[in-house]
Amino acid sequence: MSDRTYARWPRGVVAALLAVTTLVSAQTPTPSTPPEDENIEAIRKLATIGEPDKRVINEWIKQQVEKLGAEAKKGAAALSEFRERIHGQYHNASNTPAFQTELARQVADIAAAELAKPNLDAWVARALARVLADIERPEGVPALAAGLRSKDAAARLLCAKALAGQKAAVAVDKDGFEKVVSALREAALAESSPAVLAQLYAALAFPPPPAGSVVDAYLAILEKRLGTRRGSAVLVDAAEIDAYEYFRSPGVIAALNAEQKQRLVLALAALMRLDAERYQTDKLDADEKETIERRLDGAEALLAEIAGKGGDLRGELAAGGHERRAEVLKQVYVWVGDARQQAPGTLNAAPWNVPVGAP
């Protein structure tokens, strides 16, 4: 995920997350050979890694994780040191493919066990997620999925981002695909950070035509988010922009069945109405204003593709933006109906059957 993606969210929401990922990514690991590495120097050149050799690798990795845990109070410095040690071993010029593969596999296995611990230190979780992202191999997918349950938002963000980078490998893994989709869905339904949720949406964006489980996951998450929005007057965040972008990808809408389209229309209609009403706020923060405008644009584009002719809120946004916010809301009512006036909208009729006003 690029810095442009982060720009969609209010600055305060992601400042800490961005600081972690930027600081860590800025490090340039350099190979080092501490004394404990001597035990594996003799096996890194082997064409075949036997069971005794595997135990040596396992012991070395566990030593590094233990050291990381002991130094976690150092924060980002401990993370960088751990990352450097793993990087130095994994990218050593003397490694055979067999050694490198085994090292990657065992890092992933140990990381999966650690990340599954409910009270794992935040910096340890971030370090493990960062290393799995560095290694960037399919073997790390189960560990990254485990990391989605971390108590630390930055660790969850790193794991979700790394999983997004593994979509091609996951998509062709018949056994692992549904497990990953299920893990992403479960994590998104429980997620409280808009920044992390946006990346979870992005990680679910498997190439179309989408599997039924992927579509159902998106719809369940949108419906959960709609329930949250209905529950209180909260600031509007940018997470759904990533979901809208996925549904706007060529071939996605065409692959939906009638029930899925109706569920999507119901969610979009209500979210669009809520966003437009929030847009009526006189002194709206610039970041939130831009976020709402992008959400409204995406929602109407999808509704137009699915249902055809309705309102033209995008035209009002283009004509005057926030200064024409009252007209924007009127155009939303053309789509969803005005409950106060009991005036029907385009989406209130069959087959969409959105209640008047999209409550």
Side-chain angles (χ1 to χ4, degrees), residues 101-186:
T101 296
E102 183 61 26
L103 180 67
R105 185 188 68 79
Q106 293 213 39
V107 166
D109 288 348
I110 292 171
E114 291 293 317
L115 287 167
K117 295 178 179 178
N119 297 315
L120 186 66
D121 180 87
W123 282 105
V124 174
R126 294 173 193 178
L128 292 169
R130 182 69 261 179
V131 164
L132 290 168
D134 287 343
I135 292 176
E136 201 175 1
R137 292 175 65 120
E139 291 92 338
V141 167
L144 293 168
L148 297 178
R149 296 190 293 272
S150 173
K151 290 184 177 180
D152 180 66
R156 298 195 303 273
L157 179 66
L158 287 165
C159 288
K161 184 177 180 180
L163 279 173
Q166 289 292 321
K167 282 201 293 278
V170 173
V172 297
D173 181 0
K174 293 181 179 180
D175 295 329
F177 175 77
E178 293 298 339
K179 292 180 181 179
V180 171
V181 172
S182 178
L184 289 168
R185 172 177 174 154
E186 179 184 347

Side-chain angles (χ1 to χ4, degrees), residues 106-301:
Q106 293 213 39
V107 166
D109 288 348
I110 292 171
E114 291 293 317
L115 287 167
K117 295 178 179 178
N119 297 315
L120 186 66
D121 180 87
W123 282 105
V124 174
R126 294 173 193 178
L128 292 169
R130 182 69 261 179
V131 164
L132 290 168
D134 287 343
I135 292 176
E136 201 175 1
R137 292 175 65 120
E139 291 92 338
V141 167
L144 293 168
L148 297 178
R149 296 190 293 272
S150 173
K151 290 184 177 180
D152 180 66
R156 298 195 303 273
L157 179 66
L158 287 165
C159 288
K161 184 177 180 180
L163 279 173
Q166 289 292 321
K167 282 201 293 278
V170 173
V172 297
D173 181 0
K174 293 181 179 180
D175 295 329
F177 175 77
E178 293 298 339
K179 292 180 181 179
V180 171
V181 172
S182 178
L184 289 168
R185 172 177 174 154
E186 179 184 347
L189 290 173
E191 187 53 62
S192 58
S193 164
V196 179
L197 180 59
Q199 191 58 63
L200 291 167
Y201 276 135
L204 270 170
F206 289 93
S213 58
V214 170
V215 174
D216 288 341
Y218 270 109
L219 294 174
I221 300 162
L222 286 171
E223 289 162 354
K224 172 69 181 297
R225 289 277 287 175
L226 176 56
T228 301
R229 286 289 305 281
R230 283 170 172 158
S232 59
V234 296
L235 297 176
V236 179
D237 62 64
E240 273 63 55
I241 292 174
D242 284 88
Y244 294 174
E245 287 180 356
Y246 178 66
F247 281 107
R248 293 173 74 175
S249 300
V252 173
I253 292 298
L256 305 185
N257 60 38
E259 180 187 4
Q260 291 168 335
K261 287 181 180 178
Q262 185 186 32
R263 287 177 64 190
L264 180 57
V265 166
L266 287 168
L268 289 170
L271 287 167
M272 183 174 69
R273 190 265 304 169
L274 287 163
D275 288 348
E277 290 180 350
R278 174 66 181 174
Y279 195 57
Q280 303 308 299
T281 304
D282 288 336
K283 296 182 179 179
L284 199 62
D285 176 85
D287 287 332
E288 189 180 7
K289 180 170 71 68
E290 180 182 356
T291 292
I292 293 174
E293 290 167 353
R294 294 191 63 183
R295 287 171 61 102
L296 289 171
D297 179 272
E300 186 176 64

Side-chain angles (χ1 to χ4, degrees), residues 248 272 279 292-306 308-321 324 327-332 335:
R248 293 173 74 175
M272 183 174 69
Y279 195 57
I292 293 174
E293 290 167 353
R294 294 191 63 183
R295 287 171 61 102
L296 289 171
D297 179 272
E300 186 176 64
L302 285 169
L303 290 172
E305 182 177 354
I306 299 169
K309 181 66 175 176
D312 186 21
L313 69 87
R314 288 175 294 172
E316 296 296 344
L317 287 173
R324 295 185 63 82
E327 298 304 317
V328 169
L329 185 58
K330 288 180 182 179
Q331 292 302 312
V332 169
W335 281 106

Side-chain angles (χ1 to χ4, degrees), residues 315-359:
E316 296 296 344
L317 287 173
H322 195 242
E323 292 183 0
R324 295 185 63 82
R325 56 189 177 276
E327 298 304 317
V328 169
L329 185 58
K330 288 180 182 179
Q331 292 302 312
V332 169
Y333 290 153
V334 173
W335 281 106
V336 306
D338 187 341
R340 296 171 299 179
Q341 304 295 327
Q342 281 301 299
T346 302
L347 299 176
N348 302 144
W352 313 118
N353 300 317
V354 173
V356 175

